[in-house]
Amino acid sequence: MDSSSRFSSPSSSINSARGIFCSQSLNLRSISAIGYDMDYTLVHYNVKAWEGRAYHYCMENLKKLGFPVDGLTFDPDLIIRGLVIDKEKGNLVKADQFGYIKRAMHGTKMLSTRAVREIYGIELVDLRLEGRWVFLSTFFSMSEAVAYMQMVDILDDGVIPANLGPFDYKGLYKAMGVALVAAHVEGRLKSDIMSNPEQYVELDPELPFTLLDQKEAGKKLVLITNSDYHYTDKMMHYSFNRFLPGEMGWRDLFDIIVVSANKPEFFQMSHPMYELVTNEGLMRPCFKAQIGGLYSGGSANMVESSLNIHGDEILFIGDHIYTDVNQSKVHLQWRTALICRELEEENSALIHSRGCRESLLELINQKEVVCDIFNQLQLTLQRRSKKLNSQLKTVAATNMDNENLSQSMQKLLDVMQILDVKIAPMLEADGDLFNKRWGYLSRADLWDKSHLMRQIEKYADIYTSRVSNFLYYTPFMHFRSQEQNLAHDSHTNYCSRVDKFPSNGKLD
């Protein structure tokens, strides 16, 4: 893609789907090393194909165990990243930045707003309670979530054979998880992908040049992936080598390569490190990584020691909010960048829905004006009836008698009900262009950020849709966070809302 078709300069990128967005200021000049995850970071997969294949093998394993899964198909539109599985209730929920549940689905059926309130009330999602809540923070969660929600329907229908044992929703999640893990462990899934990478991998010609720029700028590049060497070599060779100059191969881009890293433990503790000495995967123990080396296992501390680079001199880029971003920041104080491909689709959806959102906000503002006037009249009536504070005047002071005051209030109620009829379906439809069930990735409703967005802003210094977006910022870019507005920063003239109240105190 020609850069001019995207944005002409970093200063204009803030409005671009391919921009890099900053939560905490980050100067790339202070970064000496850049670490990369591979899956869904340096190598992006066709989600429907990859996760659909994982789902297929999961269902095969469940069928072998005796579960009635015939006829079920993978539906990637059923979920979005950032949702949370409630294993106690068999629900999938979307929470806001504070953990309050805004939307929920039981099995594959969306619950009404009223049902959500009745089930959860003011209960908060607490991701520390891993026995109950499962945060879907990566594309790899899609096959898991779709399979589980469909299995909840089967459990509710009472068609699981009795010989498989009684199941509650937690037990069902465990059984489904075992089947999915087996799909990965058996090796058939990755064997399929290595045999036909063109069906699963989406190529990005700009990506290798992004890393070349960083390398030529003096950054040490490190690949840290949980995938094994054979899979890593196949995927990286397919994705990179065709675009690199001359005889250069993907391994030439990196100063250190670590496969089978076992993240997040890689960032938390030390494990034995092995050097891979042959293409067949022969390994020998080692105690220190060398520049140009290829290793299995080990720890982040070993990488720091080998490069003689520590803490905030290192930027780690990955797609998993916990395994990549949270852990490298919390345990090592590395700087962090999150890759979230859905930002491009969400940006497009927001652009196309701009007119509808503006109309919706205008209606909401109209209702607020009417509601403010109603509240002032109600307070006036209250003070008169109780004969308290009679000397005080409300903002919407009026000379109407009580009967006319009550009639005016009823008219205002009628107007609010008319506005509600218009507003309700527009609120329901907000976000439909991104996902009809769950709305936008970054928003829990019209106003509040989603729980995922809170996690991103808390742990990712910068975030963007793909690594190749760095190509248009230079390796010396100083990303600066935007000014953070506080509630009291916004100065609105409350009294202006009642300016339209008729001077004669009567409503037409």
Side-chain angles (χ1 to χ4, degrees):
M1 179 187 294
D2 186 281
S3 63
S4 63
S5 66
R6 195 180 321 150
F7 49 80
S8 57
S9 68
S11 62
S12 65
S13 68
I14 194 66
N15 297 316
S16 168
R18 295 285 301 271
I20 296 178
F21 308 100
C22 184
S23 302
Q24 182 175 346
S25 294
L26 171 65
N27 189 350
L28 289 184
R29 288 188 181 275
S30 68
I31 297 298
S32 301
I34 302 176
Y36 283 103
D37 174 49
M38 183 183 74
D39 297 306
Y40 285 120
T41 301
L42 290 179
V43 176
H44 185 73
Y45 301 104
N46 179 309
V47 178
K48 189 172 184 179
W50 207 108
E51 290 303 303
R53 201 63 180 162
Y55 171 92
H56 169 76
Y57 284 129
C58 175
M59 288 300 170
E60 256 193 16
N61 290 334
L62 287 171
K63 185 175 181 178
K64 290 176 183 176
L65 293 172
F67 286 93
V69 296
D70 287 335
L72 296 179
T73 58
F74 180 61
D75 180 6
D77 294 326
L78 198 63
I79 71 162
I80 60 173
R81 191 200 305 233
L83 301 179
V84 183
I85 292 175
D86 180 355
K87 294 188 287 186
E88 281 189 5
K89 300 182 184 297
N91 292 341
L92 192 60
V93 306
K94 184 177 187 180
D96 69 9
Q97 59 190 318
F98 305 109
Y100 290 103
I101 296 168
K102 298 293 187 175
R103 302 190 190 193
M105 181 169 71
H106 181 75
T108 59
K109 302 175 184 65
M110 292 301 297
L111 299 176
S112 67
T113 302
R114 180 177 179 178
V116 172
R117 285 199 300 265
E118 290 175 351
I119 293 170
Y120 291 105
I122 59 172
E123 184 176 11
L124 300 179
V125 168
D126 186 349
L127 299 179
R128 293 170 297 181
L129 302 177
E130 297 179 359
R132 177 175 182 182
W133 307 104
V134 180
F135 189 43
L136 307 179
S137 59
T138 177
F139 280 129
F140 285 127
S141 304
M142 293 193 71
S143 51
E144 169 189 15
V146 172
Y148 178 60
M149 302 320 292
Q150 292 176 340
M151 292 298 291
V152 167
D153 285 343
I154 292 175
L155 177 60
D156 289 345
D157 290 341
V159 295
I160 295 179
N163 64 297
L164 294 180
F167 282 102
D168 58 10
Y169 296 122
K170 273 190 177 182
L172 188 69
Y173 178 84
K174 183 177 180 180
M176 182 279 307
V178 169
L180 186 60
V181 168
H184 289 271
V185 172
E186 289 164 359
R188 290 185 296 166
L189 177 59
K190 287 192 172 181
S191 177
D192 287 348
I193 297 166
M194 286 191 288
S195 299
N196 300 286
E198 64 280 357
Q199 294 183 19
Y200 298 95
V201 177
E202 296 183 359
L203 297 175
D204 185 347
E206 297 175 326
L207 184 51
F209 297 104
T210 305
L211 272 62
L212 278 172
D213 272 355
Q214 294 171 351
K215 189 173 183 67
E216 291 299 319
K219 312 297 184 186
K220 302 292 186 184
L221 301 186
V222 183
L223 177 64
I224 303 172
T225 176
N226 282 353
S227 292
D228 61 66
Y229 172 67
H230 293 295
Y231 183 79
T232 299
D233 183 52
K234 183 72 174 182
M235 294 299 101
M236 292 295 290
H237 186 282
Y238 177 80
S239 301
F240 277 74
N241 282 22
R242 69 187 67 209
F243 304 117
L244 291 170
E247 299 298 316
M248 189 176 190
W250 73 268
R251 287 181 57 176
D252 298 318
L253 289 168
F254 299 97
D255 294 270
I256 295 176
I257 298 168
V258 181
V259 299
S260 302
N262 195 30
K263 295 178 292 181
E265 290 187 4
F266 181 84
F267 297 116
Q268 301 169 352
M269 59 189 72
S270 292
H271 287 291
M273 176 179 279
Y274 299 89
E275 182 181 11
L276 280 81
V277 293
T278 69
N279 288 332
E280 288 71 36
L282 180 66
M283 297 186 293
R284 64 186 176 199
C286 65
F287 300 98
K288 184 176 182 180
Q290 302 293 329
I291 298 298
L294 170 62
Y295 303 94
S296 175
S299 69
N301 288 327
M302 292 180 179
V303 171
E304 286 186 327
S305 178
S306 301
L307 295 174
N308 195 27
I309 301 171
H310 304 274
D312 61 5
E313 296 177 273
I314 302 174
L315 170 67
F316 191 73
I317 303 175
D319 74 293
H320 197 297
I321 191 68
Y322 177 75
T323 299
D324 295 324
V325 173
N326 172 292
Q327 293 299 289
S328 60
K329 176 175 282 292
V330 169
H331 292 282
L332 300 158
Q333 287 74 56
W334 288 7
R335 306 306 300 273
T336 53
L338 183 78
I339 301 300
C340 184
R341 182 61 69 97
E342 303 98 309
L343 287 172
E344 296 176 19
E345 183 183 348
E346 175 150 306
N347 182 271
S348 176
L350 284 167
I351 290 172
H352 285 93
S353 66
R354 189 173 294 160
C356 293
R357 289 175 67 85
E358 288 175 355
S359 298
L360 173 57
L361 289 172
E362 175 60 28
L363 288 172
I364 290 174
N365 288 335
Q366 289 178 21
K367 182 183 175 182
E368 287 185 350
V369 170
V370 176
C371 186
D372 284 340
I373 298 171
F374 176 87
N375 292 339
Q376 292 296 325
L377 297 184
Q378 184 178 27
L379 182 58
T380 298
L381 195 62
Q382 173 185 305
R383 287 174 176 174
R384 289 181 183 179
S385 64
K386 299 296 182 181
K387 297 181 180 180
L388 298 173
N389 300 322
S390 57
Q391 72 276 18
L392 296 178
K393 298 294 184 182
T394 60
V395 176
T398 176
N399 294 320
M400 286 188 291
D401 59 30
N402 287 355
E403 182 179 353
N404 286 329
L405 192 60
S406 297
Q407 290 175 356
S408 294
M409 290 173 62
Q410 183 58 53
K411 289 181 180 180
L412 290 169
L413 278 175
D414 294 340
V415 172
M416 284 190 281
Q417 289 172 357
I418 291 171
L419 289 170
D420 280 338
V421 170
K422 296 179 180 179
I423 290 170
M426 295 176 72
L427 280 174
E428 288 288 333
D430 186 55
D432 275 5
L433 290 175
F434 184 77
N435 186 281
K436 290 187 177 298
R437 291 180 177 90
W438 302 106
Y440 294 110
L441 194 79
S442 59
R443 293 165 171 78
D445 52 28
L446 187 65
W447 310 109
D448 294 324
K449 297 174 184 177
S450 65
H451 208 56
L452 173 67
M453 198 66 230
R454 175 183 177 272
Q455 300 288 320
I456 291 174
E457 291 184 334
K458 184 175 182 180
Y459 296 112
D461 297 315
I462 55 178
Y463 60 97
T464 190
S465 64
R466 60 179 81 191
V467 171
S468 58
N469 295 342
F470 282 90
L471 187 62
Y472 297 93
Y473 285 84
T474 83
F476 320 107
M477 180 71 184
H478 190 167
F479 296 100
R480 300 181 188 276
S481 60
Q482 297 183 54
E483 179 184 1
Q484 300 297 305
N485 290 328
L486 303 175
H488 64 270
D489 288 338
S490 179
H491 301 290
T492 57
N493 186 356
Y494 174 80
C495 293
S496 67
R497 287 185 175 179
V498 296
D499 285 347
K500 296 180 180 179
F501 189 75
S503 57
N504 61 4
K506 295 182 179 180
L507 292 170
D508 294 331

